[in-house]
Amino acid sequence: MPPIEDDGLTAREVRDRVSQGKANVTKDKSSRSIGQIIRANVFTLFNAIIAVAMVMVLLTGQWRDSVFGFVIIINTGIGIITELKAKRTLDRLSILVASTYLVRRDGRNVEIAHNRIVQDDLLWIRAGEQVPADLEITRTWGLELDESMLTGESRTVRKQVGDTAYSGATAVSGMAIGRVSAVGERSYAARLAAEAKVYKKTRSDLNEGINTILKFMTFLVVPLCVLLIWTQINTVGGWDAAIATGQWRQAVVSAVAGVVGMIPEGLVLLTSLNFAVAAMRLARKNTLVQELESVETLARVDALNLDKTGTITSGGIAFDRLDTLAGAASPAARHEAEQALYDLANEEQPNGTGKAILVGLGERGVTAGEVAARVPFSSARKWSAVALDGAIWYMGAPEVLISAMDGDHADVLERANAIAAEGSRVVLLAKAAPDDIAPAGGGGHPQDDWGWLVDDPTILPDVAPVALAVCSEHIRDDAERTLAWFHEQGVRCRIISGDNPRTVAAIAGKVRLTGDETPRYMDARELPTDLDELADTLERVDVLGRVLPDQKKAIVQALHLRNHTVAMTGDGVNDTLALKEADLGIAMGNAAPAAKAVAQVVLVDSKFSHLPDVVARGRQVMANMERVASLFLVKTVYSAIISLGVVLTAMPYPYLPRHITYVGALTIGMPAFILALAPNTRRYIPGFLRRVVAFALPGGIATGLSVLLSAWIVPRVMGWDLSRPADLDALRATSAIILFLMGVFVLSRVARPLNSWRGGLVVFFAACGVIGMFIPFVAGFFALIIPTGATLVATGAALAIASVIFAVCVWGVPKIGRIITHETKTR
C-alpha cells in the first residue's frame, strides 16, 4: 500500500469506541416480531366476536351449535403464515456484503471483518471492494465508485479529497483512504435498508369494507345479545325457571344464533382463501405474490410505471456498427478507431454498452491493446478516456463531448440525434492527436507520464470527432402485445428510464406505447420539484428520460395526488423506496435482492408478458368477491332484522345456530367459493362497501320479514304452544326451510346470468339442501324436520308469502323508485 503519515487509531481508542457502541454492527430484523404478527392476527375484532359466541355455546353443552368457530382457526392460520413469509423475505434484505477490509491502526495496515470497523478508523478502499461504512476521503489515488446500488444505474463517480464515500457503493478503479464518519445503523446503506424494511401493510378496500361492517355490527351485537338472552329467558318463565329447568342453555344458544348470523364470518375466510388461491395460480405462471392483499391491488391499478431495460427491452445490448466520420474512412483509420473503441470499453467493470462493444469487436478479431493510462467511464462525466500510442481517445455521450470541443460540430450532433431517434444507443469516439495534447497556457504534457490525465480528467479542446458507435437493444417480442392489453384495459403506462429520452421515446413508439399516437417524451431534468406541478406535468408525458433515483419516488407521490393507483416495476436497490411508495411494487426475477424483498410481486422469470395475467387475476378476485360479498351481507341484514323483531315481540328465536350453518353453507359459503373463482376481467372501481350494501339490503329485508311473519302467523294458525319443545322445534324447522328458500333466491340473483353453468350451480345446491333433509345423520345433526300434514300446508303457504315478499322487495320497490324518479325529472 502507498505510504502515509497518519498512524490511525490506537488499540485503546478502538476499545473505547466499541464500548460506546460505535462499531459497524447493525440489527438485522424487520419491524414486526413473530409475537407481534401472531398477536395482530389472533386478537382481531372478528375473532373476538366469534370466540365469545363459541365459548357461550360450549358452556351450554350444545357443541353441535358451535361449529362456526372453526372459521377462526382457518382464517387466523392463513394470516399468520402469510405475514411470516413476508417477514422472512424482509429479514433477508441486505445491501452490504460481508467481507474483510484493510484499516490502518497503530501505524500498521490490518485486515479485519466489516463489523469490527469503528468510527474514526482510517479505512482503505481498493478496486473491487464494497464500501462498508460512510467515510470522508483523506487521500485518493484515482478512486472511482459505482453508486448504482444506492443512487441509480451506471452511477460511477470520481472521488476527491473531502468527498464522502457512502456505504454500499463499490470501488470500480483506483484506491483511496478515508476516515470513517458513520457506522452501523447510522451509515447510509443501513438507513436505506431500514427504511425499505419497514413493514407496510398493503391497503385492501375489501378488508376495509369488511372491517367497517364488523365495527358497525359490534355496536349492535353487544346490546342485542344481552337483550336476546333476556328475551329468551323470559319466554321460558324467567331466570328462576330457566335455571331450575336448565332452559337457560337454550336461551343462550338462541341469542348466539342471532349474533353469529349478523357476522359475515364466511366472507372473512373466503377473502383470505381467495387471495391465497390467486397467489397459487400466479405462482404456476412464475409470478410470486409476497403479500396476499396485493392481489386486490392488482385490480385497482390504473397507472403503470415501467422500466425500459429489462421490461420493454430484454436488457441485452448488441453492437451494431461503427459509423466513421470525415477523415476516418480509410481502412487504416477505421482499424485504429476500432482498436481505440475496444480499449475504451475494456474497463475492469464495463457497463452494458461497453460489454456489447467488446463482444461485437471481439468477433471481428479486435483484441486488447497496450493502454498507458485510463479514465474510467463515469455517469457524472458521461465519458471515458484512454492514452493509447501517444494519443488520447475519448468515448462518451455525443452532446457532452461536442459541447467541450472547439469548432462547429453541429452536423455530428445532428447525425447522432437522428440515430438515437431510431431507438439506438449512440456514443461518440473522439481523438486528441499527440500534437494537440497541450495544456491551456502553453507548454505540453509529457507523454511518458499520464498522471495529469488520471488526476484531473478533462476533455482537451482540440479533440476531434472520429466515429459514432451504434448499439441497439432487443425489444421483447411480447412487449407490444402486452402494452396493447393494458391500453385496452384503461391502464395508463409510462416508461421511466435513465437513458436519452429520444432513444426511449423511439422504442416506445416501436412498441406502440400510446397506440396510434406518438409518445410524448421529456427530459426528467426539466421536471418541476413541486408535487402538484409534477402531477400536472405527468398527465401530459408518456416517456421520461434521464430520470434520477430520487425522482422515481416523487413521480409515484405525484400520481397519488391525482388519486391514481400506481404499480411500478424496478430492479435496483435505488428503486426500493419508490417500489414501497407505489401501491404495487413489481420486481423482475433478476432484480437486486433488496428490490425483490420489498416488492409485493416478483416476476420470477423476468417476463413482462406475465403482467396481464397478474392484473387479470387481481380483477377476477375483486370483481367476483364483490359479487359474493352480497351473499354474506344478506345474512347480516336479515339476522339483524330478525333479532330486533324477536327482542321487540319477546318471542322465542325462530331457528338455531346449526340451522344458519346448514343454510349458509349450501346457499352462501360453498357457492360463493366457486363463484369467486370464475373468470372476470372488469377493472375494480372503489366503492365496494356502498355497492354491496345496496345489493344486499333488498334480499336481507325480504328474508327477515318473511321469517318474522312466519314466526308470528304460523303458530297461531297451527295452534302451536311455543313453550312446548315439539311445537318450538316445528317452528324452527319451518323457519329454516324459509331461510333456505330465500337463500336460493338470493343465490340465483347473485349468480346471474343463469343460462350457463351458473344456473346449474344454483340447481345443484338447492337439490343438496333438499336431499340433506332426507338423510338421517344430516337431519339429526342439523335438527332438520320434514313437514307433514297440516304443517306441510302451513309451510307451503309461508313459502308462497315469502316468495311474494322477495319479489316486491327485490324487483318491485326499485322499479317504482325508478318510475317516480323519472317522472320527477320530466316535469
Side-chain angles (χ1 to χ4, degrees):
M1 305 301 293
I4 59 172
E5 296 179 357
D6 198 326
D7 291 339
L9 298 178
T10 64
R12 182 189 180 94
E13 290 172 329
V14 171
R15 287 194 298 271
D16 289 343
R17 283 162 175 75
V18 171
S19 64
Q20 295 169 10
K22 295 182 179 180
N24 195 39
V25 179
T26 58
K27 296 179 181 179
D28 191 18
K29 66 176 184 178
S30 63
S31 62
R32 304 227 303 180
S33 66
I34 295 177
Q36 289 173 322
I37 290 173
I38 293 174
R39 285 194 297 270
N41 283 277
V42 172
F43 301 106
T44 65
L45 178 60
F46 166 75
N47 286 355
I49 296 172
I50 298 297
V52 171
M54 182 179 178
V55 170
M56 290 174 65
V57 173
L58 289 175
L59 289 175
T60 68
Q62 304 290 331
W63 65 270
R64 285 179 292 183
D65 284 309
S66 65
V67 292
F68 59 84
F70 288 102
V71 172
I72 295 177
I73 300 173
I74 301 173
N75 189 64
T76 302
I78 292 174
I80 291 175
I81 291 171
T82 301
E83 291 199 25
L84 286 177
K85 180 180 177 183
K87 171 183 168 57
R88 286 196 300 270
T89 303
L90 289 172
D91 286 348
R92 286 196 297 267
L93 170 58
S94 178
I95 293 177
L96 294 176
V97 178
S99 184
T100 58
Y101 294 89
L102 191 67
V103 296
R104 188 166 181 80
R105 293 176 179 174
D106 289 321
R108 295 182 296 110
N109 295 324
V110 185
E111 287 273 358
I112 62 173
H114 77 287
N115 56 1
R116 292 179 56 198
I117 297 171
V118 299
Q119 191 161 330
D120 298 324
D121 251 332
L122 278 180
L123 175 67
W124 290 97
I125 298 298
R126 298 165 291 184
E129 291 183 337
Q130 188 180 42
V131 181
D134 298 352
L135 68 150
E136 182 181 341
I137 303 297
T138 57
R139 191 171 176 186
T140 178
W141 291 266
L143 177 67
E144 294 265 352
L145 291 181
D146 175 7
E147 297 181 339
S148 61
M149 285 282 283
L150 306 174
T151 59
E153 296 81 358
S154 303
R155 182 68 174 171
T156 306
V157 180
R158 187 180 186 83
K159 294 295 182 179
Q160 305 293 341
V161 173
D163 290 347
T164 299
Y166 291 108
S167 53
T170 302
V172 175
S173 63
M175 182 174 58
I177 190 170
R179 191 168 299 278
V180 174
S181 57
V183 293
E185 296 179 351
R186 294 180 295 276
S187 68
Y188 184 83
R191 285 185 281 116
L192 181 63
E195 188 173 349
K197 284 183 180 182
V198 172
Y199 181 83
K200 184 189 79 171
K201 186 73 172 178
T202 302
R203 179 185 172 275
S204 170
D205 198 24
L206 179 57
N207 284 338
E208 287 179 3
I210 295 173
N211 287 334
T212 300
I213 295 171
L214 291 177
K215 289 175 183 177
F216 177 75
M217 296 313 302
T218 303
F219 290 104
L220 285 179
V221 162
V222 176
L224 200 54
C225 185
V226 174
L227 290 172
L228 280 172
I229 293 176
W230 177 77
T231 300
Q232 299 307 296
I233 290 292
N234 287 338
T235 61
V236 295
W239 286 97
D240 292 338
I243 294 174
T245 60
Q247 290 186 346
W248 65 271
R249 295 182 176 86
Q250 193 59 52
V252 171
V253 171
S254 297
V256 170
V259 171
V260 172
M262 287 185 285
I263 305 302
E265 76 280 1
L267 180 58
V268 178
L269 174 59
L270 181 59
T271 301
S272 299
L273 287 176
N274 210 12
F275 283 162
V277 169
M280 287 187 290
R281 285 183 169 180
L282 288 171
R284 288 198 292 267
K285 296 189 176 182
N286 290 315
T287 302
L288 173 63
V289 177
Q290 304 198 115
E291 294 179 29
L292 292 186
E293 288 82 358
S294 62
V295 173
E296 176 193 326
T297 310
L298 299 171
R300 297 187 280 117
V301 168
D302 63 351
L304 177 59
N305 295 342
L306 299 167
D307 242 351
K308 174 181 67 66
T309 305
T311 303
I312 304 300
T313 62
S314 63
I317 303 174
F319 176 68
D320 283 348
R321 64 187 188 275
L322 185 68
D323 289 350
T324 54
L325 303 174
S330 67
R334 183 177 183 85
H335 176 73
E336 183 186 28
E338 288 180 345
Q339 182 63 57
L341 183 63
Y342 187 96
D343 290 328
L344 281 161
N346 193 27
E347 298 182 0
E348 184 174 348
Q349 294 182 348
N351 57 22
T353 303
K355 291 177 181 177
I357 290 172
L358 291 175
V359 172
L361 292 179
E363 292 175 350
R364 303 179 189 182
V366 182
T367 58
E370 186 175 344
V371 175
R374 177 183 299 277
V375 178
F377 179 82
S378 162
S379 61
R381 289 189 304 266
K382 299 194 182 302
W383 58 267
S384 60
V386 293
L388 191 67
D389 293 332
I392 299 177
W393 290 85
Y394 295 89
M395 177 181 72
E399 64 271 21
V400 174
L401 291 177
I402 289 175
S403 64
M405 295 178 183
D406 287 343
D408 183 10
H409 301 287
D411 57 331
V412 177
L413 184 59
E414 183 178 351
R415 183 173 173 182
N417 287 338
I419 297 173
E422 297 172 357
S424 299
R425 290 191 179 190
V426 187
V427 293
L428 177 63
L429 180 67
K431 177 184 179 182
D435 295 339
D436 298 325
I437 302 174
H445 286 299
Q447 296 180 18
D448 56 347
D449 180 9
W450 296 99
W452 60 271
L453 176 63
V454 176
D455 293 338
D456 184 23
T458 185
I459 301 174
L460 299 177
D462 294 330
V463 67
V466 175
L468 293 172
V470 182
C471 297
S472 64
E473 294 184 82
H474 176 260
I475 297 176
R476 290 184 180 273
D477 298 333
D478 53 11
E480 182 175 345
R481 181 176 66 256
T482 304
L483 289 171
W485 185 90
F486 280 113
H487 189 71
E488 292 170 1
Q489 297 297 320
V491 179
R492 174 76 180 276
C493 295
R494 293 178 179 84
I495 298 180
I496 298 176
S497 174
D499 289 341
N500 186 314
R502 286 191 181 89
T503 302
V504 182
I507 292 175
K510 290 180 180 179
V511 296
R512 296 171 58 83
L513 175 71
T514 53
D516 296 330
E517 299 179 5
T518 302
R520 296 164 294 182
Y521 65 89
M522 182 177 181
D523 193 316
R525 290 172 292 187
E526 301 172 6
L527 287 175
T529 55
D530 180 77
L531 288 182
D532 278 315
E533 295 179 14
L534 177 58
D536 292 335
T537 303
L538 290 174
E539 295 298 327
R540 304 186 297 271
V541 176
D542 305 302
V543 173
L544 285 168
R546 305 300 187 200
V547 179
L548 298 175
D550 58 342
Q551 291 178 306
K552 295 180 180 180
K553 183 177 180 179
I555 289 170
V556 175
Q557 292 172 329
L559 290 172
H560 281 160
L561 287 180
R562 295 297 181 265
N563 298 317
H564 291 295
T565 301
V566 185
M568 177 174 175
T569 64
D571 58 4
V573 175
N574 57 293
D575 295 323
T576 55
L577 300 183
L579 287 172
K580 289 187 72 68
E581 185 69 26
D583 298 283
L584 185 70
I586 303 172
M588 297 296 171
N590 56 4
K596 288 189 286 189
V598 300
Q600 287 95 347
V601 175
V602 178
L603 304 181
V604 178
D605 55 5
S606 303
K607 288 187 177 180
F608 177 46
S609 57
H610 288 323
L611 280 182
D613 291 331
V614 172
V615 175
R617 187 64 62 191
R619 291 184 174 183
Q620 171 191 314
V621 169
M622 280 309 297
N624 289 334
M625 283 304 300
E626 182 174 319
R627 178 195 294 266
V628 302
S630 305
L631 281 173
F632 292 95
L633 202 55
V634 165
K635 181 166 72 76
T636 298
V637 172
Y638 73 64
S639 295
I641 292 174
I642 293 172
S643 297
L644 288 172
V646 168
V647 169
L648 294 175
T649 59
M651 61 177 286
Y653 207 86
Y655 53 80
L656 297 171
R658 69 187 82 171
H659 289 149
I660 200 68
T661 300
Y662 181 78
V663 172
L666 293 174
T667 64
I668 299 175
M670 289 186 284
F673 185 79
I674 296 172
L675 289 172
L677 301 179
N680 198 325
T681 59
R682 177 175 64 85
R683 186 169 73 86
Y684 175 73
I685 301 171
F688 159 82
L689 185 58
R690 175 180 54 80
R691 291 192 297 273
V692 168
V693 169
F695 186 93
L697 279 177
I701 293 172
T703 304
L705 290 177
S706 298
V707 173
L708 285 175
L709 287 175
S710 173
W712 292 333
I713 297 172
V714 171
R716 289 176 172 81
V717 172
M718 298 297 298
W720 289 342
D721 181 1
L722 298 183
S723 62
R724 293 167 50 192
D727 289 346
L728 182 58
D729 290 343
L731 170 63
R732 286 173 170 165
T734 301
S735 298
I737 293 173
I738 294 173
L739 276 180
F740 181 74
L741 176 68
M742 302 301 275
V744 172
F745 284 166
V746 173
L747 175 60
S748 63
R749 186 171 176 232
V750 169
R752 291 178 302 181
L754 300 177
N755 58 352
S756 62
W757 63 270
R758 299 173 187 272
L761 177 78
V762 175
V763 172
F764 173 77
F765 282 106
C768 286
V770 174
I771 294 171
M773 297 176 65
F774 292 91
I775 300 175
F777 170 77
V778 175
F781 187 90
F782 290 104
L784 303 174
I785 300 174
I786 301 174
T788 58
T791 304
L792 178 60
V793 175
T795 302
L799 292 175
I801 295 172
S803 301
V804 173
I805 294 174
F806 187 85
V808 171
C809 291
V810 173
W811 290 296
V813 173
K815 285 185 178 179
I816 294 173
R818 284 194 294 270
I819 292 173
I820 293 174
T821 305
H822 177 72
E823 289 178 351
T824 302
K825 290 181 179 178
T826 57
R827 286 176 181 168

